Amino acid sequence: MAKPNPLLAGAAGRCPNCGEGHLFEGFLRVSPRCEACGFDLAAADSGDGPAVFVILIAGFVVAFGALFTMVAFRAPVWLTLLIWLPMTLVICLALLRPMKGLMLAAQFINKAGQARHD
């Protein structure tokens, strides 16, 4: 059996080792172990990386969309805010889980570990 692409598995919320088990329990809490292969996921920590990428991507999309809406359609500020503030929330929530999965998969690929002082 061929190994799955860890980045695609992570983005889909699957174990980067086997591609079968769930990476998350809940919305963003990482499972302690993969239920399919038993891979230890407890040591994985993505830190603030996913949030930074989500802020950059969502900020670009929302800023461009809001400016485009105001210039192209001459929309008033209240209408622009009514459209793009909820879109900000939707875009951020939609991107956060896949980005966290990608960061955890990147750690798996690079065999990254937390610094230890034993």
Side-chain angles (χ1 to χ4, degrees):
M1 182 175 141
K3 286 261 190 189
N5 182 343
L7 292 176
L8 292 177
R14 298 289 180 188
C15 172
N17 188 42
C18 68
E20 297 294 323
H22 295 286
L23 183 58
F24 300 107
E25 58 180 33
F27 185 61
L28 289 175
R29 185 179 305 141
V30 179
S31 298
R33 291 196 158 287
C34 173
E35 70 262 7
C37 68
F39 183 71
D40 182 24
L41 298 167
D45 181 23
S46 61
D48 293 334
V52 170
F53 286 111
V54 167
I55 288 169
L56 291 172
I57 294 168
F60 173 77
V61 170
V62 169
F64 177 79
L67 287 172
F68 183 78
T69 303
M70 290 181 77
V71 171
F73 301 112
R74 299 192 192 275
V77 174
W78 67 268
L79 182 60
T80 305
L81 290 173
L82 187 69
I83 295 169
W84 288 102
L85 281 178
M87 284 300 294
T88 304
L89 181 65
V90 168
I91 292 169
C92 287
L93 290 177
L95 286 176
L96 195 54
R97 188 175 164 128
M99 289 304 289
K100 185 166 183 169
L102 280 172
M103 294 293 282
L104 294 173
Q107 283 183 346
F108 171 77
I109 289 171
N110 295 310
K111 297 175 177 55
Q114 298 301 320
R116 292 176 32 181
H117 301 288
D118 292 335

PDB file of all heavy atoms in Angstrom, residues 77-109:
ATOM      1  N   VAL A  77     -20.298  52.663   2.783  1.00  0.00           N
ATOM      2  CA  VAL A  77     -19.466  51.981   3.765  1.00  0.00           C
ATOM      3  C   VAL A  77     -20.285  50.975   4.573  1.00  0.00           C
ATOM      4  O   VAL A  77     -19.832  49.857   4.833  1.00  0.00           O
ATOM      5  CB  VAL A  77     -18.777  53.012   4.693  1.00  0.00           C
ATOM      6  CG1 VAL A  77     -18.032  52.315   5.808  1.00  0.00           C
ATOM      7  CG2 VAL A  77     -17.834  53.888   3.899  1.00  0.00           C
ATOM      8  N   TRP A  78     -21.508  51.332   4.954  1.00  0.00           N
ATOM      9  CA  TRP A  78     -22.315  50.421   5.779  1.00  0.00           C
ATOM     10  C   TRP A  78     -22.616  49.121   5.029  1.00  0.00           C
ATOM     11  O   TRP A  78     -22.626  48.044   5.612  1.00  0.00           O
ATOM     12  CB  TRP A  78     -23.604  51.085   6.258  1.00  0.00           C
ATOM     13  CG  TRP A  78     -24.593  51.405   5.163  1.00  0.00           C
ATOM     14  CD1 TRP A  78     -24.699  52.560   4.462  1.00  0.00           C
ATOM     15  CD2 TRP A  78     -25.581  50.521   4.629  1.00  0.00           C
ATOM     16  NE1 TRP A  78     -25.692  52.466   3.527  1.00  0.00           N
ATOM     17  CE2 TRP A  78     -26.260  51.225   3.613  1.00  0.00           C
ATOM     18  CE3 TRP A  78     -25.964  49.214   4.909  1.00  0.00           C
ATOM     19  CZ2 TRP A  78     -27.294  50.666   2.878  1.00  0.00           C
ATOM     20  CZ3 TRP A  78     -27.001  48.661   4.173  1.00  0.00           C
ATOM     21  CH2 TRP A  78     -27.660  49.386   3.172  1.00  0.00           C
ATOM     22  N   LEU A  79     -22.835  49.207   3.715  1.00  0.00           N
ATOM     23  CA  LEU A  79     -23.109  48.010   2.930  1.00  0.00           C
ATOM     24  C   LEU A  79     -21.846  47.161   2.764  1.00  0.00           C
ATOM     25  O   LEU A  79     -21.892  45.930   2.843  1.00  0.00           O
ATOM     26  CB  LEU A  79     -23.672  48.385   1.563  1.00  0.00           C
ATOM     27  CG  LEU A  79     -24.044  47.216   0.648  1.00  0.00           C
ATOM     28  CD1 LEU A  79     -25.113  46.349   1.305  1.00  0.00           C
ATOM     29  CD2 LEU A  79     -24.510  47.718  -0.698  1.00  0.00           C
ATOM     30  N   THR A  80     -20.727  47.816   2.569  1.00  0.00           N
ATOM     31  CA  THR A  80     -19.459  47.101   2.471  1.00  0.00           C
ATOM     32  C   THR A  80     -19.161  46.350   3.760  1.00  0.00           C
ATOM     33  O   THR A  80     -18.750  45.192   3.734  1.00  0.00           O
ATOM     34  CB  THR A  80     -18.316  48.087   2.150  1.00  0.00           C
ATOM     35  OG1 THR A  80     -18.658  48.810   0.959  1.00  0.00           O
ATOM     36  CG2 THR A  80     -17.006  47.368   1.964  1.00  0.00           C
ATOM     37  N   LEU A  81     -19.372  47.007   4.891  1.00  0.00           N
ATOM     38  CA  LEU A  81     -19.169  46.348   6.188  1.00  0.00           C
ATOM     39  C   LEU A  81     -20.163  45.211   6.394  1.00  0.00           C
ATOM     40  O   LEU A  81     -19.802  44.162   6.929  1.00  0.00           O
ATOM     41  CB  LEU A  81     -19.291  47.360   7.326  1.00  0.00           C
ATOM     42  CG  LEU A  81     -18.169  48.381   7.442  1.00  0.00           C
ATOM     43  CD1 LEU A  81     -18.501  49.411   8.503  1.00  0.00           C
ATOM     44  CD2 LEU A  81     -16.856  47.692   7.750  1.00  0.00           C
ATOM     45  N   LEU A  82     -21.390  45.408   5.977  1.00  0.00           N
ATOM     46  CA  LEU A  82     -22.416  44.376   6.127  1.00  0.00           C
ATOM     47  C   LEU A  82     -22.063  43.124   5.324  1.00  0.00           C
ATOM     48  O   LEU A  82     -22.350  42.006   5.746  1.00  0.00           O
ATOM     49  CB  LEU A  82     -23.776  44.925   5.671  1.00  0.00           C
ATOM     50  CG  LEU A  82     -24.986  44.043   5.909  1.00  0.00           C
ATOM     51  CD1 LEU A  82     -25.269  43.943   7.396  1.00  0.00           C
ATOM     52  CD2 LEU A  82     -26.195  44.605   5.181  1.00  0.00           C
ATOM     53  N   ILE A  83     -21.416  43.300   4.211  1.00  0.00           N
ATOM     54  CA  ILE A  83     -21.022  42.165   3.376  1.00  0.00           C
ATOM     55  C   ILE A  83     -19.723  41.538   3.865  1.00  0.00           C
ATOM     56  O   ILE A  83     -19.630  40.323   4.043  1.00  0.00           O
ATOM     57  CB  ILE A  83     -20.859  42.606   1.902  1.00  0.00           C
ATOM     58  CG1 ILE A  83     -22.203  43.044   1.326  1.00  0.00           C
ATOM     59  CG2 ILE A  83     -20.236  41.494   1.061  1.00  0.00           C
ATOM     60  CD1 ILE A  83     -22.098  43.738  -0.015  1.00  0.00           C
ATOM     61  N   TRP A  84     -18.694  42.355   4.108  1.00  0.00           N
ATOM     62  CA  TRP A  84     -17.351  41.818   4.295  1.00  0.00           C
ATOM     63  C   TRP A  84     -16.986  41.468   5.731  1.00  0.00           C
ATOM     64  O   TRP A  84     -16.078  40.658   5.946  1.00  0.00           O
ATOM     65  CB  TRP A  84     -16.319  42.762   3.683  1.00  0.00           C
ATOM     66  CG  TRP A  84     -16.414  42.675   2.200  1.00  0.00           C
ATOM     67  CD1 TRP A  84     -17.021  43.555   1.359  1.00  0.00           C
ATOM     68  CD2 TRP A  84     -15.953  41.603   1.386  1.00  0.00           C
ATOM     69  NE1 TRP A  84     -16.952  43.096   0.057  1.00  0.00           N
ATOM     70  CE2 TRP A  84     -16.302  41.901   0.055  1.00  0.00           C
ATOM     71  CE3 TRP A  84     -15.280  40.417   1.644  1.00  0.00           C
ATOM     72  CZ2 TRP A  84     -15.992  41.067  -1.004  1.00  0.00           C
ATOM     73  CZ3 TRP A  84     -14.966  39.587   0.585  1.00  0.00           C
ATOM     74  CH2 TRP A  84     -15.326  39.918  -0.720  1.00  0.00           C
ATOM     75  N   LEU A  85     -17.654  42.013   6.730  1.00  0.00           N
ATOM     76  CA  LEU A  85     -17.370  41.573   8.103  1.00  0.00           C
ATOM     77  C   LEU A  85     -17.789  40.122   8.340  1.00  0.00           C
ATOM     78  O   LEU A  85     -17.002  39.334   8.874  1.00  0.00           O
ATOM     79  CB  LEU A  85     -18.003  42.511   9.122  1.00  0.00           C
ATOM     80  CG  LEU A  85     -17.242  43.807   9.366  1.00  0.00           C
ATOM     81  CD1 LEU A  85     -17.985  44.688  10.364  1.00  0.00           C
ATOM     82  CD2 LEU A  85     -15.837  43.547   9.833  1.00  0.00           C
ATOM     83  N   PRO A  86     -18.996  39.709   7.938  1.00  0.00           N
ATOM     84  CA  PRO A  86     -19.324  38.286   8.068  1.00  0.00           C
ATOM     85  C   PRO A  86     -18.447  37.390   7.188  1.00  0.00           C
ATOM     86  O   PRO A  86     -18.093  36.275   7.579  1.00  0.00           O
ATOM     87  CB  PRO A  86     -20.784  38.190   7.633  1.00  0.00           C
ATOM     88  CG  PRO A  86     -21.322  39.557   7.774  1.00  0.00           C
ATOM     89  CD  PRO A  86     -20.179  40.480   7.544  1.00  0.00           C
ATOM     90  N   MET A  87     -18.065  37.895   6.012  1.00  0.00           N
ATOM     91  CA  MET A  87     -17.188  37.111   5.143  1.00  0.00           C
ATOM     92  C   MET A  87     -15.824  36.883   5.796  1.00  0.00           C
ATOM     93  O   MET A  87     -15.211  35.834   5.615  1.00  0.00           O
ATOM     94  CB  MET A  87     -16.996  37.811   3.793  1.00  0.00           C
ATOM     95  CG  MET A  87     -18.175  37.686   2.867  1.00  0.00           C
ATOM     96  SD  MET A  87     -18.574  35.977   2.475  1.00  0.00           S
ATOM     97  CE  MET A  87     -17.133  35.491   1.564  1.00  0.00           C
ATOM     98  N   THR A  88     -15.363  37.852   6.578  1.00  0.00           N
ATOM     99  CA  THR A  88     -14.108  37.702   7.308  1.00  0.00           C
ATOM    100  C   THR A  88     -14.197  36.519   8.257  1.00  0.00           C
ATOM    101  O   THR A  88     -13.292  35.672   8.309  1.00  0.00           O
ATOM    102  CB  THR A  88     -13.784  38.980   8.096  1.00  0.00           C
ATOM    103  OG1 THR A  88     -13.755  40.087   7.200  1.00  0.00           O
ATOM    104  CG2 THR A  88     -12.465  38.861   8.821  1.00  0.00           C
ATOM    105  N   LEU A  89     -15.275  36.447   9.003  1.00  0.00           N
ATOM    106  CA  LEU A  89     -15.468  35.344   9.945  1.00  0.00           C
ATOM    107  C   LEU A  89     -15.559  34.008   9.216  1.00  0.00           C
ATOM    108  O   LEU A  89     -14.916  33.026   9.606  1.00  0.00           O
ATOM    109  CB  LEU A  89     -16.726  35.577  10.780  1.00  0.00           C
ATOM    110  CG  LEU A  89     -17.053  34.520  11.818  1.00  0.00           C
ATOM    111  CD1 LEU A  89     -15.976  34.498  12.892  1.00  0.00           C
ATOM    112  CD2 LEU A  89     -18.409  34.783  12.425  1.00  0.00           C
ATOM    113  N   VAL A  90     -16.315  33.957   8.147  1.00  0.00           N
ATOM    114  CA  VAL A  90     -16.486  32.711   7.381  1.00  0.00           C
ATOM    115  C   VAL A  90     -15.155  32.247   6.791  1.00  0.00           C
ATOM    116  O   VAL A  90     -14.790  31.065   6.889  1.00  0.00           O
ATOM    117  CB  VAL A  90     -17.545  32.900   6.269  1.00  0.00           C
ATOM    118  CG1 VAL A  90     -17.538  31.742   5.298  1.00  0.00           C
ATOM    119  CG2 VAL A  90     -18.918  33.092   6.872  1.00  0.00           C
ATOM    120  N   ILE A  91     -14.403  33.164   6.206  1.00  0.00           N
ATOM    121  CA  ILE A  91     -13.122  32.804   5.590  1.00  0.00           C
ATOM    122  C   ILE A  91     -12.137  32.317   6.642  1.00  0.00           C
ATOM    123  O   ILE A  91     -11.456  31.303   6.451  1.00  0.00           O
ATOM    124  CB  ILE A  91     -12.546  33.991   4.789  1.00  0.00           C
ATOM    125  CG1 ILE A  91     -13.422  34.273   3.571  1.00  0.00           C
ATOM    126  CG2 ILE A  91     -11.109  33.732   4.373  1.00  0.00           C
ATOM    127  CD1 ILE A  91     -13.103  35.572   2.866  1.00  0.00           C
ATOM    128  N   CYS A  92     -12.072  33.016   7.773  1.00  0.00           N
ATOM    129  CA  CYS A  92     -11.140  32.618   8.840  1.00  0.00           C
ATOM    130  C   CYS A  92     -11.486  31.242   9.396  1.00  0.00           C
ATOM    131  O   CYS A  92     -10.604  30.401   9.590  1.00  0.00           O
ATOM    132  CB  CYS A  92     -11.133  33.650   9.957  1.00  0.00           C
ATOM    133  SG  CYS A  92     -10.278  35.172   9.500  1.00  0.00           S
ATOM    134  N   LEU A  93     -12.748  30.993   9.670  1.00  0.00           N
ATOM    135  CA  LEU A  93     -13.145  29.689  10.211  1.00  0.00           C
ATOM    136  C   LEU A  93     -12.961  28.574   9.188  1.00  0.00           C
ATOM    137  O   LEU A  93     -12.611  27.450   9.543  1.00  0.00           O
ATOM    138  CB  LEU A  93     -14.587  29.736  10.702  1.00  0.00           C
ATOM    139  CG  LEU A  93     -14.817  30.567  11.968  1.00  0.00           C
ATOM    140  CD1 LEU A  93     -16.295  30.605  12.309  1.00  0.00           C
ATOM    141  CD2 LEU A  93     -14.007  30.045  13.129  1.00  0.00           C
ATOM    142  N   ALA A  94     -13.178  28.887   7.914  1.00  0.00           N
ATOM    143  CA  ALA A  94     -13.016  27.864   6.883  1.00  0.00           C
ATOM    144  C   ALA A  94     -11.554  27.498   6.661  1.00  0.00           C
ATOM    145  O   ALA A  94     -11.242  26.356   6.325  1.00  0.00           O
ATOM    146  CB  ALA A  94     -13.640  28.347   5.572  1.00  0.00           C
ATOM    147  N   LEU A  95     -10.638  28.440   6.862  1.00  0.00           N
ATOM    148  CA  LEU A  95      -9.223  28.194   6.606  1.00  0.00           C
ATOM    149  C   LEU A  95      -8.452  27.658   7.806  1.00  0.00           C
ATOM    150  O   LEU A  95      -7.404  27.037   7.638  1.00  0.00           O
ATOM    151  CB  LEU A  95      -8.543  29.489   6.141  1.00  0.00           C
ATOM    152  CG  LEU A  95      -8.833  29.968   4.735  1.00  0.00           C
ATOM    153  CD1 LEU A  95      -8.148  31.302   4.489  1.00  0.00           C
ATOM    154  CD2 LEU A  95      -8.370  28.954   3.720  1.00  0.00           C
ATOM    155  N   LEU A  96      -8.945  27.887   9.016  1.00  0.00           N
ATOM    156  CA  LEU A  96      -8.147  27.590  10.204  1.00  0.00           C
ATOM    157  C   LEU A  96      -7.834  26.109  10.368  1.00  0.00           C
ATOM    158  O   LEU A  96      -6.684  25.725  10.602  1.00  0.00           O
ATOM    159  CB  LEU A  96      -8.847  28.131  11.452  1.00  0.00           C
ATOM    160  CG  LEU A  96      -7.992  28.224  12.699  1.00  0.00           C
ATOM    161  CD1 LEU A  96      -6.727  29.011  12.435  1.00  0.00           C
ATOM    162  CD2 LEU A  96      -8.771  28.871  13.815  1.00  0.00           C
ATOM    163  N   ARG A  97      -8.821  25.256  10.218  1.00  0.00           N
ATOM    164  CA  ARG A  97      -8.594  23.813  10.394  1.00  0.00           C
ATOM    165  C   ARG A  97      -7.669  23.224   9.316  1.00  0.00           C
ATOM    166  O   ARG A  97      -6.721  22.508   9.648  1.00  0.00           O
ATOM    167  CB  ARG A  97      -9.937  23.096  10.452  1.00  0.00           C
ATOM    168  CG  ARG A  97      -9.823  21.654  10.823  1.00  0.00           C
ATOM    169  CD  ARG A  97     -11.210  21.066  10.977  1.00  0.00           C
ATOM    170  NE  ARG A  97     -11.157  19.638  10.972  1.00  0.00           N
ATOM    171  CZ  ARG A  97     -11.692  18.873  11.892  1.00  0.00           C
ATOM    172  NH1 ARG A  97     -12.347  19.417  12.881  1.00  0.00           N
ATOM    173  NH2 ARG A  97     -11.603  17.572  11.803  1.00  0.00           N
ATOM    174  N   PRO A  98      -7.904  23.516   8.020  1.00  0.00           N
ATOM    175  CA  PRO A  98      -6.962  22.993   7.020  1.00  0.00           C
ATOM    176  C   PRO A  98      -5.542  23.526   7.188  1.00  0.00           C
ATOM    177  O   PRO A  98      -4.569  22.789   6.989  1.00  0.00           O
ATOM    178  CB  PRO A  98      -7.552  23.434   5.680  1.00  0.00           C
ATOM    179  CG  PRO A  98      -8.972  23.703   5.946  1.00  0.00           C
ATOM    180  CD  PRO A  98      -9.068  24.127   7.373  1.00  0.00           C
ATOM    181  N   MET A  99      -5.394  24.788   7.577  1.00  0.00           N
ATOM    182  CA  MET A  99      -4.054  25.341   7.771  1.00  0.00           C
ATOM    183  C   MET A  99      -3.357  24.687   8.958  1.00  0.00           C
ATOM    184  O   MET A  99      -2.157  24.430   8.904  1.00  0.00           O
ATOM    185  CB  MET A  99      -4.117  26.858   7.972  1.00  0.00           C
ATOM    186  CG  MET A  99      -4.482  27.618   6.717  1.00  0.00           C
ATOM    187  SD  MET A  99      -3.407  27.287   5.314  1.00  0.00           S
ATOM    188  CE  MET A  99      -1.930  28.093   5.837  1.00  0.00           C
ATOM    189  N   LYS A 100      -4.089  24.393  10.016  1.00  0.00           N
ATOM    190  CA  LYS A 100      -3.481  23.710  11.149  1.00  0.00           C
ATOM    191  C   LYS A 100      -3.072  22.298  10.742  1.00  0.00           C
ATOM    192  O   LYS A 100      -1.999  21.823  11.106  1.00  0.00           O
ATOM    193  CB  LYS A 100      -4.439  23.657  12.338  1.00  0.00           C
ATOM    194  CG  LYS A 100      -3.794  23.070  13.576  1.00  0.00           C
ATOM    195  CD  LYS A 100      -4.583  23.318  14.825  1.00  0.00           C
ATOM    196  CE  LYS A 100      -3.822  22.765  16.014  1.00  0.00           C
ATOM    197  NZ  LYS A 100      -4.392  23.196  17.271  1.00  0.00           N
ATOM    198  N   GLY A 101      -3.900  21.624   9.967  1.00  0.00           N
ATOM    199  CA  GLY A 101      -3.548  20.303   9.465  1.00  0.00           C
ATOM    200  C   GLY A 101      -2.313  20.337   8.581  1.00  0.00           C
ATOM    201  O   GLY A 101      -1.457  19.455   8.658  1.00  0.00           O
ATOM    202  N   LEU A 102      -2.201  21.368   7.741  1.00  0.00           N
ATOM    203  CA  LEU A 102      -1.015  21.517   6.889  1.00  0.00           C
ATOM    204  C   LEU A 102       0.241  21.747   7.717  1.00  0.00           C
ATOM    205  O   LEU A 102       1.298  21.182   7.428  1.00  0.00           O
ATOM    206  CB  LEU A 102      -1.204  22.679   5.916  1.00  0.00           C
ATOM    207  CG  LEU A 102      -2.040  22.404   4.686  1.00  0.00           C
ATOM    208  CD1 LEU A 102      -2.304  23.694   3.931  1.00  0.00           C
ATOM    209  CD2 LEU A 102      -1.359  21.405   3.792  1.00  0.00           C
ATOM    210  N   MET A 103       0.134  22.563   8.746  1.00  0.00           N
ATOM    211  CA  MET A 103       1.304  22.834   9.593  1.00  0.00           C
ATOM    212  C   MET A 103       1.738  21.573  10.340  1.00  0.00           C
ATOM    213  O   MET A 103       2.931  21.298  10.472  1.00  0.00           O
ATOM    214  CB  MET A 103       1.001  23.959  10.587  1.00  0.00           C
ATOM    215  CG  MET A 103       0.763  25.298   9.945  1.00  0.00           C
ATOM    216  SD  MET A 103       2.210  25.986   9.171  1.00  0.00           S
ATOM    217  CE  MET A 103       3.066  26.599  10.576  1.00  0.00           C
ATOM    218  N   LEU A 104       0.778  20.811  10.837  1.00  0.00           N
ATOM    219  CA  LEU A 104       1.113  19.567  11.528  1.00  0.00           C
ATOM    220  C   LEU A 104       1.719  18.550  10.563  1.00  0.00           C
ATOM    221  O   LEU A 104       2.653  17.830  10.913  1.00  0.00           O
ATOM    222  CB  LEU A 104      -0.123  18.990  12.215  1.00  0.00           C
ATOM    223  CG  LEU A 104      -0.682  19.838  13.365  1.00  0.00           C
ATOM    224  CD1 LEU A 104      -2.000  19.259  13.853  1.00  0.00           C
ATOM    225  CD2 LEU A 104       0.301  19.960  14.489  1.00  0.00           C
ATOM    226  N   ALA A 105       1.201  18.505   9.343  1.00  0.00           N
ATOM    227  CA  ALA A 105       1.763  17.599   8.334  1.00  0.00           C
ATOM    228  C   ALA A 105       3.174  18.032   7.942  1.00  0.00           C
ATOM    229  O   ALA A 105       4.043  17.180   7.714  1.00  0.00           O
ATOM    230  CB  ALA A 105       0.861  17.563   7.107  1.00  0.00           C
ATOM    231  N   ALA A 106       3.420  19.330   7.881  1.00  0.00           N
ATOM    232  CA  ALA A 106       4.767  19.813   7.567  1.00  0.00           C
ATOM    233  C   ALA A 106       5.743  19.418   8.671  1.00  0.00           C
ATOM    234  O   ALA A 106       6.899  19.074   8.391  1.00  0.00           O
ATOM    235  CB  ALA A 106       4.756  21.326   7.375  1.00  0.00           C
ATOM    236  N   GLN A 107       5.288  19.447   9.920  1.00  0.00           N
ATOM    237  CA  GLN A 107       6.128  18.971  11.022  1.00  0.00           C
ATOM    238  C   GLN A 107       6.433  17.488  10.851  1.00  0.00           C
ATOM    239  O   GLN A 107       7.553  17.045  11.080  1.00  0.00           O
ATOM    240  CB  GLN A 107       5.443  19.194  12.364  1.00  0.00           C
ATOM    241  CG  GLN A 107       5.482  20.601  12.859  1.00  0.00           C
ATOM    242  CD  GLN A 107       4.843  20.725  14.226  1.00  0.00           C
ATOM    243  OE1 GLN A 107       4.150  19.831  14.695  1.00  0.00           O
ATOM    244  NE2 GLN A 107       5.070  21.854  14.863  1.00  0.00           N
ATOM    245  N   PHE A 108       5.430  16.724  10.452  1.00  0.00           N
ATOM    246  CA  PHE A 108       5.610  15.287  10.258  1.00  0.00           C
ATOM    247  C   PHE A 108       6.613  15.016   9.135  1.00  0.00           C
ATOM    248  O   PHE A 108       7.502  14.177   9.270  1.00  0.00           O
ATOM    249  CB  PHE A 108       4.259  14.637   9.938  1.00  0.00           C
ATOM    250  CG  PHE A 108       4.361  13.205   9.519  1.00  0.00           C
ATOM    251  CD1 PHE A 108       4.571  12.216  10.456  1.00  0.00           C
ATOM    252  CD2 PHE A 108       4.249  12.851   8.185  1.00  0.00           C
ATOM    253  CE1 PHE A 108       4.677  10.883  10.065  1.00  0.00           C
ATOM    254  CE2 PHE A 108       4.348  11.541   7.791  1.00  0.00           C
ATOM    255  CZ  PHE A 108       4.563  10.547   8.738  1.00  0.00           C
ATOM    256  N   ILE A 109       6.480  15.730   8.021  1.00  0.00           N
ATOM    257  CA  ILE A 109       7.371  15.526   6.880  1.00  0.00           C
ATOM    258  C   ILE A 109       8.822  15.830   7.257  1.00  0.00           C
ATOM    259  O   ILE A 109       9.738  15.100   6.897  1.00  0.00           O
ATOM    260  CB  ILE A 109       6.936  16.411   5.688  1.00  0.00           C
ATOM    261  CG1 ILE A 109       5.640  15.893   5.099  1.00  0.00           C
ATOM    262  CG2 ILE A 109       8.017  16.458   4.615  1.00  0.00           C
ATOM    263  CD1 ILE A 109       5.040  16.823   4.075  1.00  0.00           C
TER     264      ILE A 109
END
